[in-house]
């Protein structure tokens, strides 16, 4: 099996077109088509379906796609480990950090620590939503991700980092209990206009579940994915929002909005480090994983995540 054919197959699936894949690989389309024919002859399976819209993988093609990602990732790790085993850890490591969570607040600390301890490691940081991260890890496009949830999920391993508390961020004009140290019960927020992310976001899921537990629906006035827009909207008095503690501190604006704790019930969610069960981490990725645990512990001990607890800190 020629690994070049596997790389070509991945490019065809990723681009959804033989023409675009041939251009990206800088080879002639007939030569690329012949590589595809050779793969289908080797596996004795039809791997792609062609249409006017492009190409899509068959079920057999999807299976090969996942295995090809794993094989090529392991080969890349082997080449890097063999070439650089002598002294310095090096190679590329990709880390996903979910927004709206403590994960997104760790990015600068992770980058700084990685540069200090392992300057030869090329760190790729992807700040996107947690849902697709699981797919990217399973296909080998991400080495690891800090995301909400603790699994289980087939093919993935979740290592809890933090248990993060959600808080209310409200405009100064909102009617709230006078004592700022007094937590607000969730039932008191039933009629408060709220601005939250869409239903696919873990924040929205956690908030909806908490309101369902007290048999209320949140009074939703807007769905906002941008933290910058959310910060400005709360500051202008358009409504309040409920966010993890670490993110709320990025959204609150002194003199325009305030943070208040929520109780009865308290809303919490686990932040975990997610890796593949099937694709082993390179030595460089293992080092970055260790740094993530270290800075999560330091964040808690320093008070930056005082509303959270971490198993690593015990």
């Amino acid at each position: 099996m020629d690994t070049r054919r596997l790389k070509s197959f991945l490019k065809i699936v990723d681009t959804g077109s033989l023409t675009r894949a041939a251009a990206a690989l800088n080879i002639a389309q007939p030569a690329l088509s012949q590589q595809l024919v050779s793969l289908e002859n080797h596996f004795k399976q039809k791997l792609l379906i062609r249409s006017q819209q492009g190409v899509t993988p068959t079920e057999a093609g999807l299976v090969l796609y996942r295995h090809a990602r794993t094989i090529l990732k392991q080969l890349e790790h082997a080449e890097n480990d063999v070439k650089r085993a002598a002294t310095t850890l090096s190679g590329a490591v990709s880390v996903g950090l979910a927004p709206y969570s403590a994960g997104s607040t760790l990015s600068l600390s992770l980058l700084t620590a990685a540069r200090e301890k392992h300057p030869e490691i090329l760190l790729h940081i992807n700040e996107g939503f947690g849902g697709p991260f699981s797919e990217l890890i399973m296909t080998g496009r991400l080495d690891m991700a800090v995301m909400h949830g603790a699994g289980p999920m087939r093919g993935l391993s979740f290592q809890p980092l933090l248990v993060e508390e959600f808080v209310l961020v409200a405009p100064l004009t909102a009617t709230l209990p006078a004592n700022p140290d007094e937590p607000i019960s969730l039932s008191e927020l039933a009629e408060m206009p709220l601005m939250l992310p869409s239903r696919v976001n873990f924040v929205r899921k956690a908030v909806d579940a908490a309101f369902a537990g007290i048999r209320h629906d949140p009074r939703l006035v807007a769905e906002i994915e941008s933290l910058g827009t959310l910060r400005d909207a709360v500051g202008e008095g358009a409504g309040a929002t409920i966010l993890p503690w670490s993110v709320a501190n990025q959204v609150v604006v002194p003199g325009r909005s305030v943070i208040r704790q929520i109780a009865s019930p308290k809303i919490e969610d686990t932040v975990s480090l997610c890796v593949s069960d099937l694709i082993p981490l390179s030595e460089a990725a293992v080092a970055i994983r260790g740094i993530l645990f270290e800075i999560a512990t330091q964040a808690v001990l320093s008070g930056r995540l005082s509303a959270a607890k971490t198993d690593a800190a015990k």
Side-chain angles (χ1 to χ4, degrees):
M1 172 58 62
D2 187 349
T3 57
R4 183 184 49 153
R5 294 175 185 169
L6 293 180
K7 293 178 182 178
S8 297
F9 178 72
L10 293 180
K11 184 61 69 175
I12 294 171
V13 175
D14 289 341
T15 60
S17 164
L18 282 166
T19 302
R20 289 193 292 269
L25 294 168
N26 197 27
I27 62 175
Q29 186 172 329
L32 184 61
S33 297
Q34 186 55 50
Q35 289 185 27
L36 176 59
V37 170
S38 297
L39 275 177
E40 292 183 327
N41 289 339
H42 177 87
F43 289 103
K44 298 180 175 58
Q45 296 284 341
K46 187 174 181 60
L47 300 174
L48 295 175
I49 299 173
R50 306 189 194 197
S51 67
Q52 292 182 344
Q53 288 73 38
V55 295
T56 55
T58 63
E59 286 300 318
L62 287 173
V63 172
L64 177 59
Y65 182 91
R66 290 194 294 269
H67 281 288
R69 279 283 178 199
T70 302
I71 291 168
L72 294 175
K73 192 75 172 180
Q74 288 177 317
L75 180 60
E76 179 187 352
H77 288 170
E79 290 175 346
N80 289 332
D81 290 345
V82 169
K83 288 177 182 178
R84 304 175 178 109
T87 53
T88 307
L89 280 178
S90 59
V93 180
S94 53
V95 181
L97 299 174
Y100 285 90
S101 77
S104 63
T105 68
L106 303 180
S107 55
L108 183 58
S109 297
L110 173 61
L111 183 61
T112 301
R115 292 294 302 150
E116 289 178 354
K117 296 183 178 181
H118 306 290
E120 297 302 315
I121 291 179
L122 177 62
L123 188 62
H124 173 77
I125 297 177
N126 179 355
E127 291 193 24
F129 291 102
F133 281 167
S134 58
E135 300 172 15
L136 294 175
I137 291 172
M138 285 190 283
T139 57
R141 295 185 180 185
L142 273 183
D143 291 307
M144 65 193 77
V146 177
M147 53 194 282
H148 271 253
M153 189 178 296
R154 185 176 179 182
L156 298 176
S157 173
F158 289 82
Q159 299 170 283
L161 287 175
L162 309 161
V163 177
E164 190 162 27
E165 181 179 348
F166 288 52
V167 294
L168 175 75
V169 184
L172 284 178
T173 55
T175 302
L176 301 172
N179 185 356
D181 296 325
E182 179 184 346
I184 301 172
S185 68
L186 196 60
S187 59
E188 292 180 88
L189 303 179
E191 298 303 320
M192 180 170 287
L194 292 177
M195 299 176 291
L196 298 167
S198 62
R199 291 184 182 275
V200 299
N201 189 289
F202 77 90
V203 170
R204 176 69 175 276
K205 292 178 180 178
V207 172
D208 283 350
F211 272 100
I214 63 170
R215 298 183 180 180
H216 277 286
D217 291 323
R219 185 187 168 195
L220 191 68
V221 296
E223 290 185 334
I224 300 176
E225 302 292 348
S226 166
L227 286 179
T229 301
L230 193 58
R231 178 190 61 236
D232 294 341
V234 173
E236 289 298 322
T241 188
I242 298 175
L243 295 170
W245 186 88
S246 59
V247 183
N249 277 274
Q250 301 177 50
V251 171
V252 69
V253 178
R256 297 174 63 191
S257 52
V258 294
I259 292 178
R260 299 292 293 269
Q261 284 188 292
I262 299 172
S264 304
K266 181 183 292 187
I267 307 175
E268 292 181 327
D269 202 6
T270 300
V271 180
S272 298
L273 180 64
C274 177
V275 298
S276 172
D277 269 345
L278 304 175
I279 305 174
L281 293 176
S282 66
E283 290 186 28
V286 170
I288 295 299
R289 180 181 62 182
I291 291 175
L292 276 170
F293 275 100
E294 288 176 9
I295 62 177
T297 301
Q298 291 167 3
V300 173
L301 296 179
S302 67
R304 287 195 294 117
L305 290 175
S306 60
K309 296 179 291 184
T310 174
D311 290 340
K314 293 181 180 179

